[in-house]
Amino acid sequence: MRIEKLDSQTVSPQRRKKRVAAYVRVSTEKEMALNSLENQAEAYTAQIKAAPDWEFAGIYEDRGISGTKEMRPAFQQMLADCRAGKIDLILTKAFTRFARNTVVLLSTLRELKALGIDVYFEKDNIHSLSENGEFLITLLAAYAQAESYSASENQKWRIKKAFEEGRTTLGKMMGYRLKDGVLTVVPKEAEIVRQIFGDYLSGMGENAIAKKLIRMGIAPARSQRPWNRTSIRYILTNEKYCGNMLLQKTYIENYISKKPVRNHGERTRYLVENSHEAIIPKAIFDAAQAERQKRREKMNADGRQWSRRYPFSGIIECGECGMHYRRRTVRSGTPYEQSVWICRTFDTYGKGFCHSRQLPEDILIAKTAKVLGSDDLEAAVPSMLSAIRVAEAGHLVYVFRDGSRQDVFWEYPSRKESWTEEKRQKARELALERNRLRKEGNGDA
């Protein structure tokens, strides 16, 4: 028997290259910031590709998004790729670029640590997987969060001071522009505002007025979205159009979420009368409010006020246009009906304004029950969820009230798979009935 000693390099497998990605972010859309973002991306790309034992795994960029927010699309995509095993190391400029919120930062790093993924913070020269990494990052992130809190408090003080002096922070709205601290009328836009009030008092509904403005080619003053009942209602109920200002109608919930919340008395409100030139006479404005109340009471009496009729009402958000979904019963080209949830923008104005797809209710119920671990969705959904975001077709993002998130994916079933023998028989009967009616109409029967 012959035994040959082999070189260890001959039998060892080839060492796999480390898959390296980079994350870059700026919190403003200013040109200087965007140039900085481009330079960072180019520098990281060159650095990764130049390293012989590294493999380029991509650059993830978020533009004009604060580090305190979890809804950063590139950041979330990077985490998804990490979970899919596509990344070994992430390069980023500093921990403040990764997240200013200590809780988000640490929870993310701990998840990546469990996956064996290292994060290198270039400016701070820290590897998250190093022995002292997490301790140092905790201290630094806490400092960054304190800075964010301090900046938020300073901004709140400036806004409060402006309100106390009767000054608005609103710079642009349909019919007005802020000039030298005073709301000044824009004549052409003022005519549109008068038209809206006139149409409403003549009997038109908010949706009908929105569609009329779209047909006329008139764009909203403050939004890229098309006119809708919400934007019409904003104008009809805004006291500024009759020359008064009610200040601090909303406030920011906290410096982390930065979510605007309607003020129901939690903060001081300030009423400034005759603060600027009116577009709508006070009598007409009051008449519009009385008409709104009258219609609301009629809807309640008729049982047509369904804003919270279903567990998912007001919870599902469109990932493309941001509007909420509403429930519809449709046929979808089949002889049988099914319940679906549809984006309000798509449902009202069509795919020219939003390309979202409808969400079958049976899929929504099944996925939600599994995520919440409960079949009692009427109680579980409002108590546990703050939103269900339709990120794209076949992708839901469940946002819990504690701030955590869960991504859920599925595939739309093909029509062939969804048809039972009972449904096919119903389709045949419907086709025969249509042929019979067509022959009768042509005088053949």
Short mmCIF file of all heavy atoms in Angstrom, two decimals, residues 49-108:
data_model
loop_
_atom_site.label_atom_id
_atom_site.label_comp_id
_atom_site.label_asym_id
_atom_site.label_seq_id
_atom_site.Cartn_x
_atom_site.Cartn_y
_atom_site.Cartn_z
N LYS A 49 -14.08 47.23 -4.48
CA LYS A 49 -13.62 46.51 -5.67
C LYS A 49 -12.09 46.39 -5.72
O LYS A 49 -11.56 45.50 -6.39
CB LYS A 49 -14.14 47.20 -6.93
CG LYS A 49 -15.65 47.05 -7.10
CD LYS A 49 -16.13 47.64 -8.42
CE LYS A 49 -17.63 47.38 -8.62
NZ LYS A 49 -18.13 47.92 -9.90
N ALA A 50 -11.40 47.30 -5.01
CA ALA A 50 -9.93 47.26 -5.02
C ALA A 50 -9.38 46.21 -4.07
O ALA A 50 -8.23 45.77 -4.22
CB ALA A 50 -9.37 48.64 -4.65
N ALA A 51 -10.16 45.79 -3.08
CA ALA A 51 -9.68 44.81 -2.10
C ALA A 51 -9.70 43.41 -2.72
O ALA A 51 -10.76 42.96 -3.17
CB ALA A 51 -10.55 44.85 -0.85
N PRO A 52 -8.58 42.70 -2.74
CA PRO A 52 -8.52 41.39 -3.42
C PRO A 52 -9.37 40.31 -2.76
O PRO A 52 -9.82 39.39 -3.46
CB PRO A 52 -7.02 41.03 -3.34
CG PRO A 52 -6.49 41.83 -2.20
CD PRO A 52 -7.28 43.10 -2.18
N ASP A 53 -9.58 40.40 -1.44
CA ASP A 53 -10.36 39.36 -0.76
C ASP A 53 -11.80 39.79 -0.48
O ASP A 53 -12.49 39.20 0.34
CB ASP A 53 -9.67 38.94 0.54
CG ASP A 53 -9.44 40.12 1.47
OD1 ASP A 53 -9.54 41.28 0.99
OD2 ASP A 53 -9.15 39.90 2.66
N TRP A 54 -12.22 40.88 -1.14
CA TRP A 54 -13.61 41.36 -1.00
C TRP A 54 -14.36 41.19 -2.31
O TRP A 54 -13.79 41.30 -3.39
CB TRP A 54 -13.65 42.84 -0.61
CG TRP A 54 -13.33 43.10 0.84
CD1 TRP A 54 -13.00 42.19 1.79
CD2 TRP A 54 -13.32 44.38 1.48
NE1 TRP A 54 -12.78 42.80 3.00
CE2 TRP A 54 -12.98 44.15 2.84
CE3 TRP A 54 -13.58 45.67 1.07
CZ2 TRP A 54 -12.88 45.19 3.77
CZ3 TRP A 54 -13.48 46.71 1.98
CH2 TRP A 54 -13.13 46.46 3.32
N GLU A 55 -15.64 40.93 -2.19
CA GLU A 55 -16.55 40.85 -3.34
C GLU A 55 -17.60 41.94 -3.20
O GLU A 55 -18.24 42.08 -2.16
CB GLU A 55 -17.21 39.48 -3.40
CG GLU A 55 -18.22 39.32 -4.54
CD GLU A 55 -18.91 37.97 -4.52
OE1 GLU A 55 -18.25 36.98 -4.12
OE2 GLU A 55 -20.11 37.91 -4.85
N PHE A 56 -17.79 42.74 -4.23
CA PHE A 56 -18.73 43.87 -4.19
C PHE A 56 -20.17 43.36 -4.08
O PHE A 56 -20.64 42.59 -4.90
CB PHE A 56 -18.58 44.72 -5.45
CG PHE A 56 -19.45 45.94 -5.48
CD1 PHE A 56 -19.21 47.02 -4.65
CD2 PHE A 56 -20.54 46.01 -6.35
CE1 PHE A 56 -20.01 48.15 -4.68
CE2 PHE A 56 -21.35 47.12 -6.39
CZ PHE A 56 -21.08 48.20 -5.55
N ALA A 57 -20.88 43.80 -3.00
CA ALA A 57 -22.26 43.34 -2.76
C ALA A 57 -23.28 44.47 -2.88
O ALA A 57 -24.44 44.29 -2.54
CB ALA A 57 -22.36 42.70 -1.38
N GLY A 58 -22.84 45.65 -3.34
CA GLY A 58 -23.79 46.72 -3.61
C GLY A 58 -23.64 47.93 -2.71
O GLY A 58 -23.06 47.87 -1.63
N ILE A 59 -24.20 49.05 -3.19
CA ILE A 59 -24.28 50.30 -2.43
C ILE A 59 -25.75 50.59 -2.19
O ILE A 59 -26.55 50.59 -3.12
CB ILE A 59 -23.65 51.47 -3.19
CG1 ILE A 59 -22.19 51.15 -3.55
CG2 ILE A 59 -23.73 52.75 -2.36
CD1 ILE A 59 -21.25 51.05 -2.37
N TYR A 60 -26.11 50.84 -0.94
CA TYR A 60 -27.51 51.12 -0.57
C TYR A 60 -27.61 52.60 -0.19
O TYR A 60 -26.96 53.04 0.75
CB TYR A 60 -27.95 50.22 0.57
CG TYR A 60 -27.91 48.75 0.22
CD1 TYR A 60 -26.72 48.01 0.33
CD2 TYR A 60 -29.04 48.10 -0.24
CE1 TYR A 60 -26.68 46.67 -0.02
CE2 TYR A 60 -29.00 46.75 -0.58
CZ TYR A 60 -27.82 46.04 -0.47
OH TYR A 60 -27.79 44.71 -0.80
N GLU A 61 -28.43 53.36 -0.94
CA GLU A 61 -28.53 54.81 -0.76
C GLU A 61 -29.94 55.22 -0.34
O GLU A 61 -30.91 54.80 -0.96
CB GLU A 61 -28.18 55.54 -2.06
CG GLU A 61 -26.81 55.24 -2.62
CD GLU A 61 -26.56 55.99 -3.92
OE1 GLU A 61 -27.28 56.98 -4.19
OE2 GLU A 61 -25.67 55.59 -4.69
N ASP A 62 -30.04 56.05 0.70
CA ASP A 62 -31.30 56.69 1.08
C ASP A 62 -31.10 58.19 0.99
O ASP A 62 -30.18 58.75 1.61
CB ASP A 62 -31.71 56.29 2.51
CG ASP A 62 -32.43 54.96 2.54
OD1 ASP A 62 -33.27 54.73 1.64
OD2 ASP A 62 -32.17 54.16 3.44
N ARG A 63 -31.98 58.85 0.24
CA ARG A 63 -31.85 60.29 0.01
C ARG A 63 -32.97 61.05 0.69
O ARG A 63 -34.13 60.72 0.55
CB ARG A 63 -31.87 60.60 -1.49
CG ARG A 63 -30.80 59.85 -2.26
CD ARG A 63 -30.93 60.10 -3.74
NE ARG A 63 -29.85 59.43 -4.46
CZ ARG A 63 -29.16 59.99 -5.45
NH1 ARG A 63 -29.46 61.21 -5.85
NH2 ARG A 63 -28.20 59.33 -6.05
N GLY A 64 -32.61 62.10 1.41
CA GLY A 64 -33.60 62.99 2.02
C GLY A 64 -34.44 62.34 3.08
O GLY A 64 -35.61 62.67 3.25
N ILE A 65 -33.86 61.37 3.84
CA ILE A 65 -34.60 60.63 4.86
C ILE A 65 -33.86 60.71 6.18
O ILE A 65 -32.66 60.45 6.24
CB ILE A 65 -34.80 59.16 4.44
CG1 ILE A 65 -35.57 59.07 3.14
CG2 ILE A 65 -35.52 58.38 5.53
CD1 ILE A 65 -35.72 57.67 2.59
N SER A 66 -34.57 61.06 7.25
CA SER A 66 -33.95 61.19 8.56
C SER A 66 -33.54 59.84 9.12
O SER A 66 -34.21 58.83 8.90
CB SER A 66 -34.92 61.87 9.53
OG SER A 66 -34.43 61.79 10.86
N GLY A 67 -32.44 59.84 9.89
CA GLY A 67 -31.97 58.62 10.53
C GLY A 67 -32.84 58.16 11.67
O GLY A 67 -32.68 57.06 12.19
N THR A 68 -33.79 59.00 12.11
CA THR A 68 -34.68 58.60 13.19
C THR A 68 -35.84 57.77 12.68
O THR A 68 -36.62 57.25 13.46
CB THR A 68 -35.24 59.83 13.93
OG1 THR A 68 -35.98 60.63 13.00
CG2 THR A 68 -34.12 60.66 14.52
N LYS A 69 -36.01 57.68 11.37
CA LYS A 69 -37.15 56.96 10.80
C LYS A 69 -36.74 55.57 10.35
O LYS A 69 -35.69 55.36 9.77
CB LYS A 69 -37.73 57.73 9.61
CG LYS A 69 -38.28 59.09 9.99
CD LYS A 69 -38.86 59.78 8.78
CE LYS A 69 -39.44 61.13 9.13
NZ LYS A 69 -39.96 61.85 7.97
N GLU A 70 -37.62 54.59 10.61
CA GLU A 70 -37.35 53.23 10.19
C GLU A 70 -37.72 53.00 8.73
O GLU A 70 -37.22 52.07 8.12
CB GLU A 70 -38.12 52.24 11.07
CG GLU A 70 -37.60 52.16 12.48
CD GLU A 70 -38.22 51.01 13.22
OE1 GLU A 70 -37.96 49.86 12.85
OE2 GLU A 70 -38.97 51.27 14.15
N MET A 71 -38.61 53.83 8.18
CA MET A 71 -39.06 53.62 6.82
C MET A 71 -38.04 54.19 5.83
O MET A 71 -38.27 55.19 5.17
CB MET A 71 -40.44 54.25 6.61
CG MET A 71 -41.57 53.46 7.21
SD MET A 71 -41.62 51.75 6.63
CE MET A 71 -42.02 52.00 4.90
N ARG A 72 -36.86 53.54 5.75
CA ARG A 72 -35.83 53.91 4.78
C ARG A 72 -35.74 52.76 3.78
O ARG A 72 -35.28 51.67 4.13
CB ARG A 72 -34.50 54.12 5.49
CG ARG A 72 -34.47 55.34 6.39
CD ARG A 72 -33.17 55.43 7.16
NE ARG A 72 -33.18 54.58 8.34
CZ ARG A 72 -32.09 54.24 9.03
NH1 ARG A 72 -30.91 54.66 8.63
NH2 ARG A 72 -32.17 53.48 10.10
N PRO A 73 -36.22 52.94 2.56
CA PRO A 73 -36.32 51.82 1.62
C PRO A 73 -35.00 51.10 1.36
O PRO A 73 -34.95 49.87 1.35
CB PRO A 73 -36.89 52.46 0.34
CG PRO A 73 -36.83 53.92 0.55
CD PRO A 73 -36.76 54.19 2.01
N ALA A 74 -33.92 51.87 1.13
CA ALA A 74 -32.63 51.21 0.85
C ALA A 74 -32.12 50.47 2.08
O ALA A 74 -31.56 49.37 1.98
CB ALA A 74 -31.61 52.24 0.38
N PHE A 75 -32.31 51.06 3.25
CA PHE A 75 -31.89 50.44 4.50
C PHE A 75 -32.63 49.11 4.71
O PHE A 75 -32.04 48.09 5.07
CB PHE A 75 -32.16 51.39 5.66
CG PHE A 75 -31.62 50.93 6.99
CD1 PHE A 75 -30.28 51.03 7.29
CD2 PHE A 75 -32.47 50.40 7.95
CE1 PHE A 75 -29.77 50.62 8.51
CE2 PHE A 75 -31.98 49.98 9.18
CZ PHE A 75 -30.62 50.08 9.45
N GLN A 76 -33.95 49.14 4.48
CA GLN A 76 -34.75 47.93 4.64
C GLN A 76 -34.38 46.87 3.62
O GLN A 76 -34.35 45.67 3.92
CB GLN A 76 -36.25 48.27 4.54
CG GLN A 76 -36.76 49.19 5.64
CD GLN A 76 -36.58 48.60 7.02
OE1 GLN A 76 -36.59 47.39 7.20
NE2 GLN A 76 -36.41 49.46 8.02
N GLN A 77 -34.05 47.30 2.38
CA GLN A 77 -33.62 46.35 1.36
C GLN A 77 -32.29 45.71 1.74
O GLN A 77 -32.07 44.51 1.54
CB GLN A 77 -33.49 47.05 0.00
CG GLN A 77 -33.10 46.13 -1.15
CD GLN A 77 -34.09 45.00 -1.36
OE1 GLN A 77 -35.28 45.25 -1.52
NE2 GLN A 77 -33.62 43.76 -1.36
N MET A 78 -31.40 46.52 2.32
CA MET A 78 -30.11 46.00 2.76
C MET A 78 -30.31 44.93 3.85
O MET A 78 -29.67 43.87 3.81
CB MET A 78 -29.24 47.13 3.29
CG MET A 78 -27.86 46.70 3.77
SD MET A 78 -26.91 48.09 4.41
CE MET A 78 -27.86 48.49 5.90
N LEU A 79 -31.21 45.21 4.80
CA LEU A 79 -31.47 44.23 5.85
C LEU A 79 -32.06 42.95 5.27
O LEU A 79 -31.73 41.84 5.70
CB LEU A 79 -32.42 44.83 6.90
CG LEU A 79 -31.87 45.98 7.74
CD1 LEU A 79 -32.91 46.43 8.76
CD2 LEU A 79 -30.58 45.58 8.44
N ALA A 80 -32.95 43.10 4.28
CA ALA A 80 -33.53 41.92 3.63
C ALA A 80 -32.46 41.09 2.94
O ALA A 80 -32.47 39.85 3.00
CB ALA A 80 -34.60 42.35 2.63
N ASP A 81 -31.49 41.75 2.30
CA ASP A 81 -30.40 41.03 1.63
C ASP A 81 -29.48 40.37 2.66
O ASP A 81 -28.93 39.29 2.40
CB ASP A 81 -29.60 42.00 0.76
CG ASP A 81 -30.39 42.43 -0.47
OD1 ASP A 81 -31.40 41.76 -0.80
OD2 ASP A 81 -30.02 43.44 -1.09
N CYS A 82 -29.33 41.01 3.83
CA CYS A 82 -28.54 40.39 4.89
C CYS A 82 -29.21 39.10 5.37
O CYS A 82 -28.55 38.07 5.56
CB CYS A 82 -28.39 41.36 6.07
SG CYS A 82 -27.23 42.72 5.77
N ARG A 83 -30.53 39.16 5.55
CA ARG A 83 -31.27 37.97 6.00
C ARG A 83 -31.22 36.87 4.95
O ARG A 83 -31.31 35.69 5.28
CB ARG A 83 -32.72 38.36 6.31
CG ARG A 83 -32.86 39.35 7.47
CD ARG A 83 -34.30 39.78 7.66
NE ARG A 83 -34.41 40.86 8.63
CZ ARG A 83 -34.95 42.06 8.38
NH1 ARG A 83 -35.46 42.31 7.18
NH2 ARG A 83 -34.99 42.98 9.33
N ALA A 84 -31.08 37.29 3.69
CA ALA A 84 -31.02 36.30 2.59
C ALA A 84 -29.62 35.74 2.41
O ALA A 84 -29.39 34.92 1.52
CB ALA A 84 -31.50 36.94 1.29
N GLY A 85 -28.66 36.17 3.25
CA GLY A 85 -27.31 35.64 3.19
C GLY A 85 -26.46 36.19 2.07
O GLY A 85 -25.55 35.52 1.59
N LYS A 86 -26.71 37.44 1.64
CA LYS A 86 -25.98 38.02 0.51
C LYS A 86 -24.84 38.94 0.94
O LYS A 86 -24.08 39.41 0.09
CB LYS A 86 -26.95 38.80 -0.38
CG LYS A 86 -28.07 37.96 -0.99
CD LYS A 86 -29.00 38.83 -1.83
CE LYS A 86 -30.13 38.00 -2.44
NZ LYS A 86 -31.05 38.85 -3.25
N ILE A 87 -24.73 39.24 2.24
CA ILE A 87 -23.75 40.23 2.72
C ILE A 87 -23.02 39.67 3.94
O ILE A 87 -23.64 39.06 4.82
CB ILE A 87 -24.45 41.56 3.07
CG1 ILE A 87 -25.15 42.15 1.85
CG2 ILE A 87 -23.46 42.56 3.66
CD1 ILE A 87 -26.01 43.37 2.15
N ASP A 88 -21.71 39.95 4.01
CA ASP A 88 -20.91 39.57 5.18
C ASP A 88 -20.45 40.78 5.98
O ASP A 88 -20.27 40.70 7.19
CB ASP A 88 -19.66 38.78 4.74
CG ASP A 88 -20.03 37.51 4.00
OD1 ASP A 88 -20.89 36.76 4.51
OD2 ASP A 88 -19.47 37.27 2.91
N LEU A 89 -20.23 41.91 5.31
CA LEU A 89 -19.71 43.12 5.96
C LEU A 89 -20.37 44.35 5.36
O LEU A 89 -20.54 44.43 4.13
CB LEU A 89 -18.19 43.20 5.78
CG LEU A 89 -17.49 44.51 6.18
CD1 LEU A 89 -17.62 44.75 7.69
CD2 LEU A 89 -16.02 44.49 5.76
N ILE A 90 -20.75 45.30 6.22
CA ILE A 90 -21.35 46.57 5.78
C ILE A 90 -20.44 47.71 6.19
O ILE A 90 -20.03 47.80 7.36
CB ILE A 90 -22.74 46.78 6.39
CG1 ILE A 90 -23.70 45.66 5.98
CG2 ILE A 90 -23.32 48.14 5.98
CD1 ILE A 90 -25.02 45.68 6.73
N LEU A 91 -20.10 48.57 5.23
CA LEU A 91 -19.32 49.77 5.52
C LEU A 91 -20.26 50.97 5.57
O LEU A 91 -21.17 51.09 4.74
CB LEU A 91 -18.28 50.00 4.43
CG LEU A 91 -17.34 48.84 4.08
CD1 LEU A 91 -16.38 49.27 2.96
CD2 LEU A 91 -16.58 48.37 5.31
N THR A 92 -20.06 51.85 6.52
CA THR A 92 -20.84 53.08 6.60
C THR A 92 -19.99 54.16 7.22
O THR A 92 -19.02 53.87 7.94
CB THR A 92 -22.15 52.86 7.39
OG1 THR A 92 -23.00 53.99 7.23
CG2 THR A 92 -21.86 52.64 8.87
N LYS A 93 -20.32 55.41 6.94
CA LYS A 93 -19.47 56.52 7.36
C LYS A 93 -19.43 56.66 8.88
O LYS A 93 -18.37 56.82 9.47
CB LYS A 93 -19.96 57.82 6.72
CG LYS A 93 -19.06 59.01 6.99
CD LYS A 93 -19.54 60.23 6.21
CE LYS A 93 -18.60 61.42 6.45
NZ LYS A 93 -19.06 62.62 5.72
N ALA A 94 -20.61 56.65 9.53
CA ALA A 94 -20.66 56.84 10.98
C ALA A 94 -21.95 56.25 11.51
O ALA A 94 -22.89 55.99 10.76
CB ALA A 94 -20.58 58.33 11.34
N PHE A 95 -21.99 56.03 12.81
CA PHE A 95 -23.19 55.45 13.41
C PHE A 95 -24.40 56.35 13.23
O PHE A 95 -25.53 55.89 13.17
CB PHE A 95 -22.96 55.16 14.90
CG PHE A 95 -22.75 56.37 15.75
CD1 PHE A 95 -23.82 56.93 16.43
CD2 PHE A 95 -21.50 56.95 15.86
CE1 PHE A 95 -23.63 58.06 17.20
CE2 PHE A 95 -21.32 58.07 16.63
CZ PHE A 95 -22.38 58.64 17.31
N THR A 96 -24.18 57.69 13.11
CA THR A 96 -25.30 58.62 12.91
C THR A 96 -25.91 58.45 11.53
O THR A 96 -27.06 58.81 11.31
CB THR A 96 -24.84 60.07 13.09
OG1 THR A 96 -23.71 60.30 12.24
CG2 THR A 96 -24.46 60.34 14.53
N ARG A 97 -25.14 57.93 10.55
CA ARG A 97 -25.70 57.66 9.23
C ARG A 97 -26.53 56.40 9.25
O ARG A 97 -27.45 56.24 8.45
CB ARG A 97 -24.57 57.49 8.20
CG ARG A 97 -23.73 58.72 7.96
CD ARG A 97 -24.50 59.87 7.34
NE ARG A 97 -25.14 60.72 8.33
CZ ARG A 97 -26.07 61.63 8.07
NH1 ARG A 97 -26.51 61.77 6.84
NH2 ARG A 97 -26.58 62.36 9.01
N PHE A 98 -26.21 55.50 10.15
CA PHE A 98 -26.93 54.23 10.25
C PHE A 98 -28.28 54.44 10.92
O PHE A 98 -29.30 53.97 10.43
CB PHE A 98 -26.08 53.23 11.05
CG PHE A 98 -26.19 51.81 10.55
CD1 PHE A 98 -25.80 51.50 9.26
CD2 PHE A 98 -26.65 50.80 11.36
CE1 PHE A 98 -25.88 50.20 8.78
CE2 PHE A 98 -26.73 49.50 10.90
CZ PHE A 98 -26.34 49.20 9.61
N ALA A 99 -28.31 55.14 12.05
CA ALA A 99 -29.56 55.45 12.76
C ALA A 99 -29.26 56.37 13.94
O ALA A 99 -28.28 56.15 14.66
CB ALA A 99 -30.23 54.18 13.26
N ARG A 100 -30.07 57.40 14.14
CA ARG A 100 -29.91 58.27 15.30
C ARG A 100 -30.68 57.74 16.52
O ARG A 100 -30.43 58.15 17.64
CB ARG A 100 -30.40 59.69 14.98
CG ARG A 100 -29.44 60.47 14.09
CD ARG A 100 -29.87 61.91 13.99
NE ARG A 100 -28.98 62.67 13.14
CZ ARG A 100 -27.87 63.27 13.56
NH1 ARG A 100 -27.53 63.17 14.82
NH2 ARG A 100 -27.12 63.94 12.74
N ASN A 101 -31.61 56.87 16.28
CA ASN A 101 -32.40 56.29 17.36
C ASN A 101 -31.64 55.10 17.96
O ASN A 101 -31.36 54.12 17.27
CB ASN A 101 -33.76 55.84 16.81
CG ASN A 101 -34.66 55.25 17.87
OD1 ASN A 101 -34.25 54.97 18.99
ND2 ASN A 101 -35.90 55.04 17.50
N THR A 102 -31.29 55.19 19.24
CA THR A 102 -30.50 54.14 19.88
C THR A 102 -31.18 52.78 19.80
O THR A 102 -30.53 51.77 19.54
CB THR A 102 -30.26 54.50 21.37
OG1 THR A 102 -29.77 55.82 21.44
CG2 THR A 102 -29.26 53.55 22.00
N VAL A 103 -32.48 52.77 20.00
CA VAL A 103 -33.21 51.50 19.99
C VAL A 103 -33.12 50.84 18.62
O VAL A 103 -32.84 49.64 18.50
CB VAL A 103 -34.69 51.71 20.39
CG1 VAL A 103 -35.47 50.42 20.27
CG2 VAL A 103 -34.79 52.27 21.81
N VAL A 104 -33.36 51.62 17.56
CA VAL A 104 -33.28 51.08 16.20
C VAL A 104 -31.87 50.62 15.89
O VAL A 104 -31.64 49.54 15.33
CB VAL A 104 -33.73 52.15 15.18
CG1 VAL A 104 -33.53 51.65 13.75
CG2 VAL A 104 -35.20 52.51 15.40
N LEU A 105 -30.87 51.44 16.26
CA LEU A 105 -29.48 51.10 15.98
C LEU A 105 -29.09 49.78 16.63
O LEU A 105 -28.56 48.87 15.98
CB LEU A 105 -28.57 52.23 16.48
CG LEU A 105 -27.07 51.97 16.39
CD1 LEU A 105 -26.63 51.82 14.94
CD2 LEU A 105 -26.30 53.09 17.07
N LEU A 106 -29.35 49.66 17.93
CA LEU A 106 -28.91 48.47 18.65
C LEU A 106 -29.69 47.22 18.25
O LEU A 106 -29.12 46.14 18.13
CB LEU A 106 -29.02 48.69 20.16
CG LEU A 106 -28.07 49.76 20.72
CD1 LEU A 106 -28.22 49.85 22.23
CD2 LEU A 106 -26.64 49.45 20.36
N SER A 107 -31.00 47.35 18.03
CA SER A 107 -31.78 46.18 17.62
C SER A 107 -31.30 45.68 16.26
O SER A 107 -31.23 44.46 16.02
CB SER A 107 -33.27 46.51 17.58
OG SER A 107 -33.54 47.50 16.59
N THR A 108 -30.94 46.62 15.36
CA THR A 108 -30.45 46.23 14.04
C THR A 108 -29.09 45.55 14.14
O THR A 108 -28.85 44.50 13.53
CB THR A 108 -30.34 47.46 13.13
OG1 THR A 108 -31.62 48.10 13.01
CG2 THR A 108 -29.85 47.07 11.73
#
